[in-house]
Structure formats: C-alpha cells, structure tokens
Amino acid sequence: MDPHLLREYTGDKLGILDVKVKTKTEKTIDIEIQVKRRNALRERIVFSLSKMVTGQIGSGNDYSQIKRSISIFITDFVFVPENTNYQNRYTLYDPQTKSQFTNLLEVNILELPKLPPDDGTELWNWMKFLSANRKEELDMVAQKSPQVQKAVARLMELSNDERTRMLYESRQMMEWDNQVREQEVSNDRATAIAKSLLEMDLPIEKIVLATGLTREQVEALA
C-alpha cells in the first residue's frame, strides 16, 4: 500500500511508514525499522496507528468497516527497558480485569539488542536475519528456515543490483545529512546559551559544563 499517511486537514503532519501492507484478511500492517533513538517515538507510533485507522473511514462514516491495524516497530536499541523480552505486544485492555476492549489496535515492539542466542522460533530467525552483519550469519539462519532462505537469496540478488545500491547509498547520505543538521542545531543552541551565560558573567568552567562546548569555543565567544 501507499506508505504515506495523508493529511486530513491543513497543518496536519505527513507521516511516512517504512512498509505498509494490507493482508488478504484486510488487516493493515505498518512495519518500521529504527536504528537510532529519536524523540517522542511512542507518540509517533500512536500517531501512525491512529492515522491507519482513520484512513479506513470514508465519507459515509461507517465505523463497522474498520479492520485491524497493527504496528510492527523494530529497533536497533533498547526501547522497552521494563523487561528483557525482545518482543512486546500491546493491545487495548483493562489492566485490572485483563479483559480486552478490542483487537482492532495492536503494537508489536521488536528489539534487536535483546535477541537471545536462539529460542527456536520463526520470529527469532527473522530477527537474526535483520541483525546479521556477515554472510556467514545469513547462511546460518537461512539453513534454519525455508522462508528466510528465500529472503537471503533475494537479498543477495538486490546487493548486486546497481539501482538498489544507489537507492541505499542515497538513503544513507540523507541519514548522514540529517545527523549533521541535528548537530548544527544542537551547536547553535549551545552557542546561544553560552553567550547568554557570558553576559551574566558566569565562570567559563560552569558554562562549559552547562553547554557541552569546549573551553576554547566558549572563550572564542567572549
């Protein structure tokens, strides 16, 4: 499906999902991978899931046509520190009675750093496929699962495709550019704070601690 979450009103955010799938049973599934921790990720998941639900409603407002919306969020960092499980599944339910309100909304958090050596499940095979850094690791997990074996074969084909490689490199460059912009914004903010603290005659040592700038950078602003 089109991975863009369209705006309903002027000023709405335009969300973009990594993969958006509609199954034969009409479930809508959003699959996203995050390799870097960002601000308000939980809020972003709620936003995306909500848009997936409201996007199913046409002008007739027939709520009975709403089908299950499932978010699968894969991270390369610990996102749920409350436990050591590498899969956490969330639904709407009453925590006191344990009764489920509806199965229309579901969030699955999969954390690569929590992956155990092997638990014998198909989910583990796919997680290992995603986290593999060497061909030997891919070959190992391919031997465990026919489905993963197909994915590994396809990955090898794509790795030799020039257009795919160019798309990957372009996305990698965009990620680096975003990191540079974020660092520049952070540095600009720290510089502005340092200037204000200098005007208040705060000692340079305290300004360094407060802003993260080096002593030389602070002295250059004086």
Side-chain angles (χ1 to χ4, degrees):
M1 299 176 66
D2 184 354
H4 294 80
L5 297 171
L6 300 180
R7 300 179 179 93
E8 295 179 24
Y9 304 100
T10 302
D12 275 3
K13 283 185 173 294
L14 176 64
I16 303 177
L17 310 176
D18 283 2
V19 179
K20 187 179 181 183
V21 178
K22 190 171 185 179
T23 70
K24 292 181 180 179
T25 56
E26 297 190 330
K27 298 175 185 175
T28 302
I29 302 176
D30 155 36
I31 305 171
E32 294 190 63
I33 296 179
Q34 283 285 337
V35 298
K36 177 182 175 183
R37 184 182 298 277
R38 299 182 184 276
N39 294 330
L41 278 179
R42 296 190 183 222
E43 290 79 4
R44 176 184 166 184
I45 293 172
V46 173
F47 167 79
S48 299
L49 198 56
S50 300
K51 296 285 278 189
M52 288 164 62
V53 173
T54 58
Q56 299 179 43
I57 303 296
S59 57
N61 292 329
D62 184 4
Y63 298 112
S64 63
Q65 67 180 320
I66 296 178
K67 305 299 181 183
R68 289 185 70 190
S69 293
I70 302 171
S71 175
I72 300 176
F73 204 72
I74 305 169
T75 69
D76 198 24
F77 53 87
V78 174
F79 185 51
V80 183
E82 294 86 353
N83 60 62
T84 59
N85 299 334
Y86 71 89
Q87 178 189 20
N88 283 275
R89 176 176 171 269
Y90 300 99
T91 60
L92 288 178
Y93 82 108
D94 185 331
Q96 183 174 356
T97 64
K98 309 299 182 184
S99 61
Q100 188 176 55
F101 179 72
T102 178
N103 71 342
L104 291 177
L105 298 174
E106 181 179 318
V107 176
N108 287 273
I109 306 297
L110 305 174
E111 301 164 277
L112 294 173
K114 291 183 179 179
L115 201 61
D118 193 346
D119 65 4
T121 65
E122 188 68 5
L123 176 59
W124 185 93
N125 292 334
W126 283 109
M127 293 285 281
K128 190 63 179 178
F129 167 75
L130 290 175
S131 62
N133 293 315
R134 301 187 305 275
K135 188 176 184 302
E136 292 77 11
E137 293 178 296
L138 289 172
D139 291 339
M140 179 273 293
V141 72
Q143 293 174 6
K144 292 175 174 288
S145 167
Q147 296 302 320
V148 175
Q149 188 175 37
K150 293 179 182 179
V152 170
R154 181 59 176 153
L155 179 62
M156 293 299 101
E157 291 177 12
L158 291 173
S159 65
N160 293 321
D161 181 78
E162 184 177 356
R163 181 176 180 274
T164 301
R165 186 166 58 253
M166 290 175 63
L167 287 172
Y168 169 78
E169 291 174 353
S170 175
R171 180 162 184 167
Q172 188 67 59
M173 287 296 295
M174 182 180 68
E175 178 66 24
W176 289 338
D177 288 344
N178 287 337
Q179 291 178 12
V180 170
R181 278 193 291 269
E182 290 174 4
Q183 186 60 48
E184 288 175 347
V185 170
S186 177
N187 289 340
D188 289 344
R189 186 180 299 113
T191 298
I193 294 173
K195 287 180 178 179
S196 298
L197 296 177
L198 283 169
E199 292 176 358
M200 298 168 59
D201 293 328
L202 201 70
I204 289 181
E205 290 75 13
K206 291 186 177 181
I207 297 176
V208 169
L209 290 175
T211 63
L213 297 176
T214 65
R215 182 180 183 88
E216 291 75 16
Q217 289 173 316
V218 175
E219 289 177 343
L221 299 173

